[in-house]
Amino acid sequence: QTQSIQTQSIQTQSIQTQQPPPSTTEVKQTVTISMDKDDEKESPVIVTKPKPKFQEINNENDDQNKNKNKNESNDNQNKDKDKDNDDESKEMDSSIIRIHNLSLDDMDCNGILNGIVPDELYVKARKEYKLPAYPLDKDNKLYPIKILSSMCMNKEIKINQKTKDKNHINPTVILSVGFSDLRQNLKYGKPELIIEALRNDEFAEKYEKIVHQIVDNLGLNLIIVIAYEPHESFTEKQLHFSRDDLLSCMEFVGNKIMQIGEKFKCPIIDLSRTLNPFDRDHYGSTAVEPSIISGQFIVDIIIKILSDWDWNDDKRGSKIYFGVKDKDKIQQQKSNKDSKHKPKSKDKDKDSQLIDDGDIQIIDNDKSYRSKYFNVLQVRGEQLNTAAHNTEEMALLDDLFKEDAQ
């Protein structure tokens, strides 16, 4: 199921320090086009993004104003204070990320291009919880591309085509779609039939058309999201076929998305290498929805891309981002299989091996990586599945006890 970032999961804090923190990229607007439910259409989120040089200039001006104001009247001092407050307001306004949420549950590529009717359950829920209503057309459909185009035409989303300022970022679209297209074809039961159905539906062609309209026609920045693998219970209780079968289908969708991302030189978030399909805490009320924890993983990667990515570099190539921000966020650890044959170390960390190295990883989106995609997901799952490891170890112990008994 394709995902979007719930605005509630974006949590930013203003950190006051005596020395200005390192400069980070200023973000103007982001647009989420994907599928989710009960998200607000637009929610301003204040993010502290200090600029050291700008602050130094302000400090010099403050000193000059202080010296100048010594010989001025109280009225002038009050005016200066009001002016300073206005300047602070303007500076704060420049640090606001405005999120326009055009997502909808069950959104697929066809829905983004040709519109989709929202489920009445979600329409009523928005009204009940006093959330903004879906911006529907006369035919009661949501048209994300059409709305996005209108927002650009009406200057609600402002695009600066000629800027060379590295600290300026044009409005950026977060596109998370594809798993719904896959899920709709799971009824065919076998990976080869599911993949053939996706080809017949022209999944790749539709996806590329969406990207073309966002990047080329509207001139917006684009971050592409590859959907995460559902929790293990999804294949066990709902699909009744193996995880490898699901991964084969995900590989087809993921590879098509990565190929298009390479063509348009887009940064890509790979959630299939970020969430742990064997950790229930990474999932929400169902096996195919993110939790608050995994939602924060997504936000962290988006902020990482917006901070590092040079949108003005025409020579840049597509990159893939995955993982979590801090090593201590990785909860799953794999015990060293040989630890029982070795003396225990005083340092417990030496007796365990992290499944992933923890930090957000960045790799090239190229043919070599895409050819290994299935194997990477398969091996990662085997490493993360601690329950399976425990079962294997118990089976080995059971065999040893049986041999001793004989």
Side-chain angles (χ1 to χ4, degrees):
Q1 182 177 4
T2 53
Q3 315 301 330
S4 69
I5 296 88
Q6 296 197 11
T7 54
Q8 294 92 333
S9 66
I10 301 182
Q11 299 176 351
T12 56
Q13 295 181 339
S14 299
I15 303 175
Q16 297 181 353
T17 56
Q18 293 181 353
Q19 297 180 350
S23 177
T24 54
T25 307
E26 179 181 349
V27 182
K28 291 296 182 183
Q29 288 179 314
T30 62
V31 181
T32 301
I33 297 181
S34 55
M35 55 180 285
D36 205 344
K37 52 189 176 183
D38 302 340
D39 284 349
E40 294 185 6
K41 179 196 169 191
E42 180 177 354
S43 174
V45 180
I46 299 177
V47 180
T48 301
K49 292 192 175 295
K51 297 179 181 179
K53 291 183 180 179
F54 187 72
Q55 287 183 346
E56 288 172 6
I57 293 173
N58 282 346
N59 289 337
E60 291 177 3
N61 290 337
D62 288 343
D63 292 338
Q64 293 175 1
N65 288 336
K66 287 180 181 178
N67 294 330
K68 184 178 180 180
N69 289 339
K70 288 180 179 179
N71 299 323
E72 292 182 352
S73 65
N74 291 333
D75 291 339
N76 288 335
Q77 290 179 357
N78 291 333
K79 289 180 181 180
D80 289 336
K81 288 180 181 179
D82 292 338
K83 185 178 180 181
D84 289 340
N85 290 334
D86 291 339
D87 291 339
E88 288 177 5
S89 281
K90 289 179 181 179
E91 184 178 352
M92 182 63 74
D93 288 341
S94 69
S95 299
I96 290 178
I97 298 178
R98 295 198 177 276
I99 300 175
H100 306 273
N101 192 345
L102 304 180
S103 63
L104 183 63
D105 197 29
D106 294 331
M107 182 83 77
D108 56 7
C109 289
N110 189 61
I112 290 181
L113 291 171
N114 303 314
I116 183 173
V117 178
D119 191 304
E120 188 64 27
L121 178 67
Y122 304 142
V123 174
K124 290 180 179 179
R126 278 179 170 263
K127 187 175 181 179
E128 180 182 353
Y129 291 100
K130 298 181 180 180
L131 294 172
Y134 290 113
L136 304 180
D137 213 85
K138 295 180 180 179
D139 56 0
N140 289 325
K141 282 187 176 182
L142 176 69
Y143 292 89
I145 293 293
K146 182 179 178 180
I147 295 172
L148 191 60
S149 178
S150 176
M151 293 169 76
C152 293
M153 291 288 292
N154 297 332
K155 301 296 178 67
E156 186 177 354
I157 294 178
K158 297 180 181 179
I159 305 172
N160 189 338
Q161 299 286 3
K162 298 182 180 180
T163 182
K164 294 183 179 180
D165 183 5
K166 291 183 178 180
N167 291 327
H168 174 82
I169 293 181
N170 272 327
T172 300
V173 174
I174 313 297
L175 177 66
S176 177
V177 68
F179 192 76
S180 241
D181 298 77
L182 169 59
R183 193 177 180 187
Q184 290 168 8
N185 290 292
L186 291 177
K187 59 188 176 184
Y188 295 108
K190 296 182 179 180
E192 58 270 20
L193 296 178
I194 295 169
I195 292 171
E196 184 63 26
L198 287 166
R199 287 196 180 100
N200 293 336
D201 289 342
E202 298 182 338
F203 165 75
E205 291 80 1
K206 291 176 181 177
Y207 196 99
E208 183 169 347
K209 187 176 181 180
I210 294 170
V211 174
H212 166 69
Q213 290 193 26
I214 295 172
V215 176
D216 295 335
N217 293 354
L218 298 180
L220 297 167
N221 295 335
L222 177 63
I223 298 175
I224 291 173
V225 179
I226 296 176
Y228 49 73
E229 180 183 349
H231 185 257
E232 60 175 333
S233 61
F234 183 69
T235 53
E236 293 175 355
K237 298 178 181 179
Q238 298 185 41
L239 298 185
H240 304 292
F241 62 65
S242 70
R243 175 175 179 265
D244 285 355
D245 288 341
L246 178 62
L247 292 184
S248 295
C249 301
M250 290 184 63
E251 180 190 28
F252 173 81
V253 172
N255 264 280
K256 293 299 182 184
I257 291 175
M258 286 186 281
Q259 289 172 13
I260 295 168
E262 181 184 31
K263 180 178 179 179
F264 287 86
K265 300 180 179 180
C266 296
I268 297 175
I269 298 174
D270 188 358
L271 297 182
S272 66
R273 296 190 65 183
T274 301
L275 275 66
N276 181 354
F278 303 98
D279 188 343
R280 196 61 185 81
D281 290 340
H282 286 191
Y283 297 85
S285 57
T286 71
V288 293
E289 294 180 357
S291 66
I292 295 298
I293 294 174
S294 56
Q296 188 61 49
F297 294 165
I298 300 170
V299 172
D300 290 338
I301 300 178
I302 290 176
I303 297 300
K304 172 70 173 176
I305 294 174
L306 293 177
S307 300
D308 293 351
W309 193 260
D310 187 355
W311 302 93
N312 297 319
D313 183 6
D314 295 331
K315 296 181 180 180
R316 72 184 187 277
S318 176
K319 301 282 185 181
I320 298 174
Y321 292 71
F322 62 92
V324 297
K325 186 177 179 180
D326 302 312
K327 291 183 178 181
D328 58 5
K329 284 185 180 179
I330 294 185
Q331 300 174 358
Q332 297 296 333
Q333 293 184 340
K334 176 185 175 183
S335 298
N336 191 327
K337 292 184 178 180
D338 298 327
S339 61
K340 58 184 178 181
H341 302 298
K342 297 178 182 179
K344 291 185 178 180
S345 170
K346 294 181 180 179
D347 186 357
K348 293 182 179 180
D349 291 337
K350 293 181 180 180
D351 290 331
S352 62
Q353 179 184 357
L354 287 173
I355 298 306
D356 222 332
D357 54 16
D359 294 326
I360 294 174
Q361 301 297 297
I362 309 171
I363 56 176
D364 292 330
N365 175 18
D366 54 27
K367 188 175 180 179
S368 174
Y369 172 74
R370 293 193 294 269
S371 66
K372 303 173 184 176
Y373 188 63
F374 175 84
N375 291 335
V376 167
L377 295 183
Q378 188 182 45
V379 172
R380 179 176 182 268
E382 292 174 354
Q383 292 177 331
L384 289 172
N385 192 357
T386 54
H389 293 311
N390 293 336
T391 301
E392 290 175 4
E393 291 176 359
M394 291 300 294
L396 288 173
L397 288 173
D398 187 50
D399 290 340
L400 289 174
F401 285 125
K402 286 180 180 179
E403 290 176 4
D404 292 340
Q406 292 176 356

